[in-house]
Amino acid sequence: MGILVKNISILGATGSIGQNTLDLVLKERDKFNVVGLTGSDNIELLAESAIKLKADVVATANESKFHDLREILKKYQIEVCAGVTGVLEVASRQVDWVMSAIVGSAGLLPGLRALETGANLALANKESMVAAGPIMKKVAKMKSAKLMPVDSEHSAIAQLIRGEERDSLSKIIITASGGAFRNLTKAKLIDVTPDQAAQHPNWNMGKRITIDSASLFNKALEIIEAKEFFDLKSSDIEVLIHPQSLVHAIASFCDGGMKAHIGPPDMRHAIAYALYEEKRFNLTMPEVNLAEVGTLEFEKPDMSKYPALELGYEVLAQGGLAGAAFNAAKEEALDNFLDRKLSFLGMADVVRATMDELSSKNRLSSEVEIEAVIDIDLQARSVAKKFVGKY
Ligand code: NDP
Ligand code: MG
């Protein structure tokens, strides 16, 4: 019997998750046929990856890079597309499996398009679940497509509850390393810079998620992502600071038993679990040496130091379009922090002010339909912009 080849595409192939996915595909090259890859500014890496993986089609989201990308690939039989439509074109190609690893809300429509084709979707782009979880789940169900988490905590939860009766799960705990500033007091956070925030103690990730890890905006997105993936209530989801980043999640059951997922802080574990669709792949990773680690610490996060997490819980409870507005306001605040127009702590102030304004105008309670998600995303960005100068 021949090997069953899986047709795959990687959206956000030039990023940290994208390149880790590529690395796994190359380990078992004959099992995968790579159809499409997308990137944005880094067209050299996009072209190199497409040549290495013999992709059929590539897209750069950055339209101005189209000619250069086509020039680099002119000797190869690789179709080249560009812009938002180019990325959607790649996502529309019929494949068995797609990695959704574009950063930010730009990943929503391409991931959704991939699900619409009926492909199984490995979802690293948590922003899609936060902004439009009900839509993602509805389309996946309609198309009988698997929607699989790639975020390490959510992959861990999926692994922990597998084989358990859903009703027996009483709570989940997701962990946070505390990011770059875990040991700083709130007072010391006032003048931290984007470069300092972009240093993660344990994980090697893209810049935006690394800064979101330091503010705990990332964890705020993740509790909402957990609610959507596993149909949980706010009171069922707890966050604990765990500096070692070895326990990714804990599931608590009705009989008092708890299961914890332990693994190295390496995203290839969670990516492989999604790539092989819940089967284990021999990754030959160095195993965690618990005797050497000695101690696993857990502590409750100080909500006054991490206002983003407190906001995340409010958004989770609010539901409706609050997730989409929250994510968009957070992206706008982060852009301004990166441009040094807003302080690190100012990001949560801007997002809170934005959410308060949109709530008071009753803009967040509509049904989660795609047009409404896109509209509230734009509104939230424009309201957030207005508040930037004030903090
Ligand atoms: P990176 O910044 O490393 O990569 C982002 C990817 O998206 C790149 O391919 C980039 O292209 C592309 N991109 C950027 N802007 C756009 C746009 N406007 N339209 C289309 N494509 C675009 O991010 P990560 O890999 O760290 O994260 C990807 C997603 O995975 C995020 O949603 C993140 O939250 C999630 N995630 C990441 C983890 C990690 O370990 N990195 C862990 C858990 C979740 P280019 O570089 O060519 O400009
Ligand atoms: Mg995570």
Side-chain angles (χ1 to χ4, degrees), residues 50-296:
I51 295 165
K52 212 191 279 176
L53 290 163
K54 297 193 167 60
D56 299 338
V57 54
V58 293
T60 162
N62 185 340
E63 217 141 12
S64 70
K65 304 259 178 186
F66 173 70
H67 292 289
D68 290 344
L69 180 59
R70 204 172 52 177
E71 187 57 28
I72 307 176
L73 289 172
K74 70 178 174 211
K75 286 197 228 109
Y76 300 87
Q77 293 241 307
I78 299 173
E79 200 182 325
V80 178
C81 318
V84 175
T85 51
V87 173
L88 287 173
E89 171 59 33
V90 172
S92 307
R93 298 288 166 103
Q94 200 67 51
V95 290
D96 305 307
W97 185 93
V98 174
M99 166 56 79
S100 168
I102 290 172
V103 64
S105 58
L108 170 60
L109 293 180
L112 195 56
R113 178 66 64 86
L115 273 180
E116 281 162 354
T117 69
N120 290 334
L121 192 72
L123 193 72
N125 180 269
K126 63 190 89 188
E127 298 89 340
S128 341
M129 262 331 223
V130 172
I135 306 174
M136 301 292 288
K137 289 188 285 184
K138 190 164 98 188
V139 174
K141 195 167 173 201
M142 215 162 66
K143 295 285 176 181
S144 306
K146 281 189 201 160
L147 183 55
M148 296 170 284
V150 171
D151 218 340
S152 54
E153 299 78 0
H154 304 74
S155 171
I157 299 164
Q159 295 176 48
L160 290 170
I161 63 177
R162 202 163 154 203
E164 301 284 354
E165 278 171 26
R166 185 60 190 74
D167 291 351
S168 66
L169 180 71
S170 50
K171 194 172 89 181
I172 60 138
I173 299 170
I174 61 176
T175 59
S177 67
F181 308 134
R182 187 174 55 84
N183 296 320
L184 297 191
T185 58
K186 190 172 182 186
K188 289 255 163 62
L189 292 179
I190 290 169
D191 46 15
V192 292
T193 65
D195 284 344
Q196 289 169 321
Q199 307 297 322
H200 200 286
N202 306 331
W203 293 91
N204 183 9
M205 312 183 284
K207 190 171 186 179
R208 299 182 72 94
I209 184 176
T210 305
I211 298 176
D212 284 349
S213 297
S215 61
L216 258 65
F217 263 117
N218 180 50
K219 219 40 62 177
L221 297 179
E222 288 185 357
I223 57 174
I224 305 166
E225 182 189 12
K227 168 203 167 191
E228 294 297 344
F229 260 116
F230 306 106
D231 294 320
L232 299 165
K233 301 193 295 294
S234 162
S235 54
D236 299 337
I237 309 170
E238 189 178 343
V239 172
L240 290 179
I241 304 281
H242 167 51
Q244 291 79 20
S245 291
L246 294 172
V247 175
H248 305 303
I250 297 169
S252 216
F253 296 95
C254 57
D255 58 358
M258 287 172 134
K259 286 199 223 166
H261 180 281
I262 300 179
D266 185 325
M267 284 310 292
R268 286 174 307 167
H269 168 79
I271 299 170
Y273 195 70
L275 180 61
Y276 289 93
E277 293 175 31
E278 292 143 10
K279 287 197 182 63
R280 298 209 181 261
F281 172 69
N282 185 0
L283 265 174
T284 55
M285 263 196 213
E287 68 183 36
V288 177
N289 184 332
L290 288 174
E292 219 166 73
V293 174
T295 314
L296 296 174

